[in-house]
Amino acid sequence: DDFVAEPDTARAELRQALRAMVVWRAAGTRAPLGEAHIDRAIGGGGVTLYTASGVGVRLGVVDDSLPARLGRYDAVRAALDEANETPRIYYVDNRARPDRVTVKLASAPQSAHSGSKD
């Protein structure tokens, strides 16, 4: 529906998503992608990529700062891997503080026996 209603806008958004995927793959060491979402609700639009395992990486606007922002994502991802933490989504879209990466961790699975003493 969006493409029919606003084809020029939809094409521009698709180009942003494709550019984000090209930059993502350029490193050659990042997880395979499963999906790319165009985020119209984010001010100014943007893109969120999802790895094949379902971890989100909210990129926001795709611009010339994206390679540097993904470099910081790589560093944070490596630290979380080393700490054995499981992320749900990374936020590398902070335009006011582009040097920041925020992470929402996945909840630890709860054991059926947690908290009980047998």
Side-chain angles (χ1 to χ4, degrees):
D1 291 339
D2 292 337
F3 192 81
V4 171
E6 298 178 60
D8 292 336
T9 300
R11 282 186 190 97
E13 291 169 340
L14 287 171
R15 280 192 292 276
Q16 255 199 76
L18 291 170
R19 182 175 175 210
M21 291 168 30
V22 167
V23 173
W24 177 270
R25 291 181 179 144
T29 56
R30 296 186 184 116
L33 292 174
E35 297 179 20
H37 289 208
I38 295 168
D39 302 321
R40 287 189 160 181
I42 297 173
V47 175
T48 300
L49 299 177
Y50 289 87
T51 65
S53 63
V55 176
V57 183
R58 182 175 289 170
L59 305 175
V61 175
V62 177
D63 59 16
D64 292 338
S65 71
L66 183 57
R69 289 185 286 137
L70 284 177
R72 287 186 288 281
Y73 153 80
D74 291 335
V76 171
R77 182 190 44 80
L80 289 176
D81 286 350
E82 190 174 305
N84 230 7
E85 293 287 352
T86 305
R88 181 184 310 167
I89 188 165
Y90 294 86
Y91 298 91
V92 294
D93 63 342
N94 188 333
R95 307 232 355 125
R97 295 294 309 264
D99 57 320
R100 290 199 178 173
V101 175
T102 305
V103 181
K104 180 180 247 184
L105 297 176
S107 301
Q110 294 198 358
S111 165
H113 299 289
S114 66
S116 66
K117 294 183 181 182
D118 294 324

